[in-house]
Amino acid sequence: MPLFHRAGISPQSLMLCLADLTALLMPATLVFLLRATFGDVNPALYRWVFPMLLLGPLLGVGFGLYQSVSLPPPRELKSLFLLATLLYGLILTVLFLSQTGRIYSRLIIAGSWLITVFALPGMRACCRRLFAARRWWGRPLLIFDHGEIGRGLWHFLKRHPERGLTPVDIFALPDDVRRTRELLSAAAARYPGAVVLIPHMREKTATVDYIKEAGRWFTDILAAPVFCGSTDVHWITICDLGPTAALWIRQNLCDKRRLLIKRCIDLVLCFASLPVLLPLGLILAAAIRLDSAGPMLYRQKRVGLGGKEMQIYKFRTMVTNADTVLLACLASDQALHVEWERDHKMKRDPRVTRVGAFLRKTSLDELPQVINVLAGTMSLVGPRPIVAEEKSKYNDVYKEYCRVRPGITGLWQISGRNDTTYAERVAFDHYYICNWSVWMDLWILGKTVPVALSGYGAY
């Protein structure tokens, strides 16, 4: 693996390339095997389809899918979708021009494309899960720090090896050119092929141009300007304005077309899932009624779009006199009182029923909120709906929270849920709002399924 690093090639890129090839070839191979079973194999499959699919990784390079630094998940999902669509568009074009398109069913081609759209991110997720913790994954990263920003990046990248950069050393930058050059020269000799990250922006009063100096010894340099410490990071594009460069920051929440697409996705997915959700809801409602006395549904006032009050619906998971039980528990147990004041949650909540514990663990208690989505007061994906008492904990973020509909699932739900601190919950909501896109919603929906099945962080 050091050989790859010296050549500037990341083992991560190679493994992701193999994962993409597997995902691309799998549907075509399945079609070939099925047709071979029934004795209907045409040489055109060898002549055109497989070679076209093998072009996938080459096209993927153009979409930025094999960079040392992984794309943000929503951008990666968008690039994979475009890659699959472009490949199958090319396949259809070649089959048409070669006059062999008639031997293929359009339904089979459309089905293969659909399988590929899901297989590409799925195979990448499996690849990262299997290999991201290995020492050879990604490329070594040297952080040259001028403050606390670099140390924050160090800890973040250590927790997220799937990003493709492995911090191996961190240095404090000197204030003079001679010592800076000595430090960079020694670091380059010790870590050949490493990526350099300089988390600061050159000021007019600075005596050293660190980026220029690093370029004397290192091929790949990451410059992390201080202002990029904000949460608006996903949809930034560098623009050439002639004598200078600018950062184009797109605010998707101001785009009515994208908001309309989000609403259409909510409605389509809700109506499509009703044949499954209705029978399941009736079964769960019966189980709640048999387990404890009281109504099947629980209604609560929450803060919605524009700060307006709304009612959300959930399956009842607590005893009917939950408020009385809560007050008694908080008065008798100081530890529970502290936990409640901190998170508005309790890991061992005495109010939760037996069926309620199951519903919370599987997140099925949120099922009736589909009513809220259909009514337009909630979305499938968004920040978690808060109660009025939580406004003060959001501070300045509350204004951002009021810009969007709360969601059944969201970034917090797939990132640890109740195992996170309250400040982290607010940060997740803020991050989602600042970087929202349709692709982010699709990525979160895809991640919600395995997280809900595992019950991670739910209580």
Side-chain angles (χ1 to χ4, degrees):
M1 294 306 174
L3 178 63
F4 290 119
H5 291 153
R6 289 190 182 94
I9 301 173
S10 167
Q12 166 208 3
S13 300
L14 295 176
M15 298 306 298
L16 291 176
C17 180
L18 291 175
D20 290 346
L21 271 177
T22 303
L24 290 169
L25 294 175
M26 181 175 61
T29 304
L30 289 174
V31 170
F32 167 75
L33 292 175
L34 286 172
R35 299 191 73 163
T37 303
F38 295 100
D40 184 22
V41 179
N42 191 287
L45 186 65
Y46 297 100
R47 191 182 304 128
W48 302 116
V49 177
F50 278 126
M52 293 296 292
L53 291 174
L54 290 172
L55 290 175
L58 293 177
L59 295 174
V61 172
F63 285 109
L65 291 170
Y66 307 111
Q67 301 176 121
S68 295
V69 184
S70 296
L71 292 171
R75 278 200 170 187
E76 182 177 273
L77 185 63
K78 178 181 179 180
S79 296
L80 291 172
F81 176 85
L82 293 175
L83 173 63
T85 304
L86 176 60
L87 273 176
Y88 275 87
L90 290 173
I91 288 172
L92 284 172
T93 302
V94 169
L95 291 177
F96 174 77
L97 293 176
S98 63
Q99 299 182 348
T100 54
R102 64 184 181 276
I103 66 173
Y104 288 95
S105 165
R106 293 178 183 177
L107 183 61
I108 289 177
I109 292 177
S112 299
W113 167 81
L114 187 61
I115 293 172
T116 304
V117 165
F118 285 95
L120 280 170
M123 287 300 298
R124 283 186 158 235
C126 291
C127 179
R128 289 186 171 111
R129 189 175 184 85
L130 287 172
F131 304 120
R134 303 293 178 90
R135 294 183 63 183
W136 48 263
W137 178 267
R139 292 184 63 182
L141 176 72
L142 301 180
I143 298 177
F144 290 89
D145 194 12
H146 235 349
E148 293 300 318
I149 297 176
R151 300 198 176 276
L153 289 169
W154 173 283
H155 293 301
F156 174 82
L157 292 171
K158 282 293 187 181
R159 292 196 308 269
H160 297 277
E162 73 278 1
R163 296 281 179 168
L165 291 173
T166 305
V168 292
D169 215 335
I170 186 167
F171 304 94
L173 283 168
D175 293 326
D176 65 88
V177 175
R178 184 183 60 81
R179 288 193 297 155
T180 298
R181 289 177 178 175
E182 290 175 354
L183 176 62
L184 290 168
S185 176
R190 185 177 178 186
Y191 302 104
V195 178
V196 172
L197 189 146
I198 302 179
H200 87 295
M201 197 163 187
R202 190 188 179 199
E203 300 174 357
K204 291 182 178 180
T205 57
T207 57
V208 184
D209 186 342
Y210 295 108
I211 296 175
K212 181 179 179 181
E213 294 299 331
R216 298 173 183 269
W217 286 276
F218 293 94
T219 305
D220 299 297
I221 302 167
L222 289 172
V226 173
F227 65 84
C228 282
S230 72
T231 53
D232 307 10
V233 295
H234 273 189
W235 306 105
I236 294 178
T237 306
I238 297 178
C239 299
D240 182 5
L241 299 181
T244 187
L247 296 180
W248 185 305
I249 304 174
R250 196 173 71 209
Q251 293 293 341
N252 289 330
L253 284 175
C254 297
D255 191 329
K256 294 182 179 179
R257 294 171 301 171
R258 288 184 170 86
L259 293 175
L260 179 61
I261 293 172
K262 178 180 175 69
R263 180 62 180 153
C264 290
I265 291 174
D266 285 345
L267 294 175
V268 168
L269 291 181
C270 284
F271 280 117
S273 60
L274 282 180
V276 175
L277 297 183
L278 285 175
L280 178 60
L282 292 174
I283 294 171
L284 295 176
I288 293 168
R289 197 60 181 268
L290 291 172
D291 182 50
S292 62
M296 295 170 289
L297 289 180
Y298 170 74
R299 294 186 300 175
Q300 188 180 33
K301 293 179 179 179
R302 298 287 179 100
V303 180
L305 179 65
K308 295 179 181 178
E309 187 180 87
M310 67 173 186
Q311 292 251 359
I312 69 164
Y313 300 90
K314 301 177 71 173
F315 279 126
R316 181 174 60 85
T317 59
M318 297 183 180
V319 294
T320 52
N321 60 335
D323 292 338
T324 304
V325 174
L326 175 63
L327 291 174
C329 290
L330 296 182
S332 61
D333 193 323
Q334 184 61 28
L336 283 180
H337 187 275
V338 172
E339 184 181 2
W340 176 260
E341 286 295 318
R342 183 182 68 241
D343 299 327
H344 277 267
K345 290 275 187 180
M346 290 185 289
K347 201 159 191 175
R348 293 178 179 83
D349 198 324
R351 303 170 295 169
V352 177
T353 64
R354 290 173 299 175
V355 171
F358 168 76
L359 293 176
R360 290 187 168 205
K361 191 69 177 175
T362 56
S363 300
L364 290 173
D365 60 320
E366 314 280 354
L367 207 59
Q369 288 174 22
V370 171
I371 300 171
N372 291 99
V373 177
L374 293 174
T377 55
M378 288 183 65
S379 176
L380 288 176
V381 184
R384 63 188 193 89
I386 63 173
V387 297
E389 290 79 10
E390 294 176 276
K391 292 180 183 179
S392 59
K393 295 193 175 185
Y394 269 65
N395 297 319
D396 294 338
V397 179
Y398 177 70
K399 293 180 181 179
E400 301 295 323
Y401 169 89
C402 292
R403 295 180 64 192
V404 297
R405 292 184 179 92
I408 296 178
T409 185
L411 198 56
W412 169 68
Q413 286 88 336
I414 65 170
S415 304
R417 298 188 64 178
N418 297 315
D419 288 340
T420 59
T421 65
Y422 202 97
E424 288 174 324
R425 297 182 198 180
V426 175
F428 283 130
D429 287 346
H430 192 203
Y431 186 88
Y432 169 82
I433 295 166
C434 290
N435 297 283
W436 172 79
S437 70
V438 172
W439 295 104
M440 176 175 277
D441 278 3
L442 295 175
W443 172 68
I444 290 174
L445 286 171
K447 291 276 287 184
T448 297
V449 176
V451 170
L453 291 175
S454 68
Y456 176 66
Y459 54 81

